[in-house]
Amino acid sequence: MPSASSESLPRIGIIGAGIAGLAAAIRLRLEGAHVEVFEAADTAGGKLGELVLGEYRFGIGPSLLTMPEYIDELFELAGEVPGDHFRYRRLDTVCRYAWEDGTRLDARANPKAFAEEVERVLGVPAQRVLKTLAHGEEKYHLTGRTFLEKSLHTPGTWLTPEVGHALTRLHRLDLTRTLHQVHERDLGEPHLVQLFDRFATYNGSNPYRAPGLLSMIAHFEHGAGAFVPEGGMPAIGRALYGLAERLGVAFHFETRVAEILTQKQGRRPRAVGLRLEDDRQMLFDRVVSNMDVFFTHERLLPDAPAPRRVLAREKSTSALIFYWGVNKSFPELDVHNIFFSEDYAAEFGALEAGTLCDDPTVYVSISSRYDDSAAPAGSENWFVMINAPFATPEQDWSALIERTRERVIQKLERMLGHEGEKAGLREAIVEECVFDPTTIEARTLSHLGALYGTSSNDRMAAFMRHPNDSRHVDGLYFCGGSVHPGGGLPLCLLSARIMTDVMTRREPLARHTPDSKDDV
């Protein structure tokens, strides 16, 4: 394609090179736009960034890969073979679970193997587990294609056969029950109920309040599968950045956006460009924000109307994360491990009260189990996370970190120890970094450190997420975890797809595949 054609291409500016911003840049470039991405950090990837402590490397954010087909799709749209640039493998064991009473259970990825393991360890008939998983899959097929892959703010979404079919099956969606109530009804056994309740945390919600519809999340792990990427989770950001560059997307790193420029055109203002922190003005036909919607409105659109009701919705939970370089190996651990609290209801009660309980559930992910380069030989890189409330002024995070670190170490020493002997973890920690909700907010501009934007603690949550386009400023669009369909890697990728669909239906672009960077 001749480079002169770039003069007639629609110009789109994207704020943020997080995973959704990268996916949006790729899609819009393939739709025929000239795309420029502005990122305050010095690298792409956002929450999929990397932390280096001595000889140990850590992914700072998401540690579990599900639905990798949404990543593959981007390479395929560009006419590339995904495996040439990004490789991953499926895990046989999704997670290794442990309880204080000595119960241990390996959650196999294969539904039948998982159900048989549950029957062997917990005595729950395998058929009951398979029925529960099948019910979750049914909910996904009834609603997932609509709620997760389409705009809920476009009338045409609701005029489809899929929606009509879902309406005839409302009784199967458990909309009037909480997730915990569904699991008590369907599974009964306390250990297994707690295991399935945990899936509410995948979008920062409370299983004692979140709707039973969310039982579909179990299908993502035990139906679609869980995966590990070569090079760890940060490899996802690197792969998509490489694809965007090959397509001719222009990136501006260490470049902070100060304002979204607007002009009055008709009844509403229109986004016409960006003002950078150094006061340069960049003009664009459309603007996409991958920045948290709260900060987009507060910092970049101070004079424009904001959707106050949506922005005031209850935030999701955050996290307290310990990154530990451990100079020994613990063979009893797997890639993903959960050490449950004895009182799950009390744990979530503390989170609702804005604090941490004395006995939190502890998640330990060790990516060096599949990526030898992430830790020295005989050592491990531990990503240790507990659910935490979003940040509030009343919290004293220094005190909370000190107290919780000690209790987490005591819990892990006890549960990993043998015959009353401690496991030797405390002495093995040779590198450490800690992220709390205030750190997460500062590093990622996630409002109040909430990892998933707003929570899903009521039946209307999906409808109350910020839409993928602005209702107050024409030419302004949104993607990322703080907008529809929500947080987490697969949903962020879907947000870019939905945003692109909304934009191109409203303002069609000339679809093409660029030949080279010279086509920009």
Side-chain angles (χ1 to χ4, degrees), residues 85-375:
H85 306 280
F86 177 63
R87 297 185 181 90
Y88 52 87
R89 65 176 175 85
R90 184 170 180 153
L91 289 169
D92 292 328
T93 298
V94 177
C95 189
R96 183 161 288 172
Y97 292 97
W99 287 264
E100 289 277 5
D101 64 4
T103 301
R104 301 289 185 267
L105 189 146
D106 283 355
R108 307 295 183 187
N110 178 276
K112 185 173 183 294
F114 173 50
E116 290 172 350
E117 181 74 357
V118 168
E119 182 169 2
R120 184 185 70 81
V121 175
L122 301 177
V124 178
Q127 198 56 40
R128 187 188 302 176
V129 178
L130 290 172
K131 184 177 179 181
T132 299
L133 292 173
H135 191 191
E137 182 178 6
E138 178 189 13
K139 290 175 182 177
Y140 171 68
H141 289 300
L142 281 172
T143 66
R145 299 295 179 187
T146 297
F147 282 81
L148 301 182
E149 298 186 8
K150 297 180 181 180
S151 169
L152 300 187
H153 306 87
T154 302
T157 296
W158 305 104
L159 303 175
T160 62
E162 292 85 359
V163 171
H165 179 58
L167 290 174
T168 68
R169 306 285 290 171
L170 280 178
H171 64 286
R172 298 289 295 162
L173 301 181
D174 288 315
L175 297 176
T176 62
R177 295 181 176 89
T178 68
L179 189 63
H180 178 72
Q181 288 170 340
V182 168
H183 293 151
E184 281 205 316
R185 178 197 67 194
D186 294 345
L187 298 167
E189 203 283 327
H191 297 84
L192 194 57
V193 169
Q194 189 175 25
L195 188 160
F196 273 76
D197 277 358
R198 173 181 168 259
F199 290 120
T201 67
Y202 281 37
N203 64 11
S205 301
N206 180 340
Y208 300 92
R209 293 177 57 203
L213 179 64
L214 293 186
S215 65
M216 73 170 73
I217 297 175
H219 166 65
F220 296 153
E221 283 195 8
H222 296 285
F227 302 81
V228 290
E230 287 187 9
M233 295 295 284
I236 300 171
R238 291 193 292 267
L240 293 184
Y241 170 62
L243 173 58
E245 273 210 314
R246 290 192 297 278
L247 293 174
V249 174
F251 286 87
H252 306 270
F253 292 109
E254 299 182 279
T255 304
R256 196 176 296 275
V257 174
E259 181 184 1
I260 296 173
L261 300 174
T262 62
Q263 279 185 357
K264 185 71 173 177
Q265 295 184 7
R267 293 186 300 109
R268 301 193 302 186
R270 182 176 182 86
V272 295
L274 303 172
R275 180 173 65 82
L276 308 182
E277 201 169 44
D278 61 7
D279 275 341
R280 282 183 296 154
Q281 294 191 2
M282 309 286 288
L283 299 182
F284 294 101
D285 299 296
R286 276 148 254 180
V287 170
V288 177
S289 179
N290 180 211
M291 187 177 181
D292 187 294
V293 287
F294 180 89
F295 288 120
T296 300
H297 287 285
E298 182 186 66
R299 298 185 182 183
L300 307 187
L301 290 163
D303 300 322
R308 298 296 175 193
R309 185 181 174 195
V310 172
L311 297 180
R313 293 279 297 173
E314 177 187 359
K315 294 295 181 180
S316 77
T317 53
S318 183
L320 176 59
I321 308 171
F322 299 94
Y323 304 90
W324 287 339
V326 177
N327 68 359
K328 64 179 289 188
S329 179
F330 289 79
E332 60 269 52
L333 296 179
D334 210 298
V335 175
H336 303 291
N337 310 269
I338 288 287
F339 300 84
F340 275 120
S341 63
E342 289 198 273
D343 189 340
Y344 219 30
E347 181 176 354
F348 282 94
L351 294 174
E352 296 265 339
T355 189
L356 302 173
C357 72
D358 291 339
D359 175 32
T361 294
V362 181
Y363 167 64
V364 179
S365 176
I366 308 173
S367 66
S368 58
R369 287 297 171 109
Y370 63 87
D371 178 10
D372 292 340
S373 67

Side-chain angles (χ1 to χ4, degrees), residues 52-58 322-333 337 339 363-369 371-372 374-384 405 408-409 412-413 416 423-433:
V52 178
L53 299 176
E55 297 182 88
Y56 299 83
R57 291 189 297 106
F58 305 82
F322 299 94
Y323 304 90
W324 287 339
V326 177
N327 68 359
K328 64 179 289 188
S329 179
F330 289 79
E332 60 269 52
L333 296 179
N337 310 269
F339 300 84
Y363 167 64
V364 179
S365 176
I366 308 173
S367 66
S368 58
R369 287 297 171 109
D371 178 10
D372 292 340
S379 300
E380 297 175 341
N381 64 338
W382 284 30
F383 173 100
V384 181
R405 180 184 188 275
V408 166
I409 290 177
L412 294 175
E413 291 272 30
L416 288 172
L425 171 63
R426 188 186 302 274
E427 297 77 20
I429 300 172
V430 295
E431 299 285 355
E432 180 177 51
C433 183

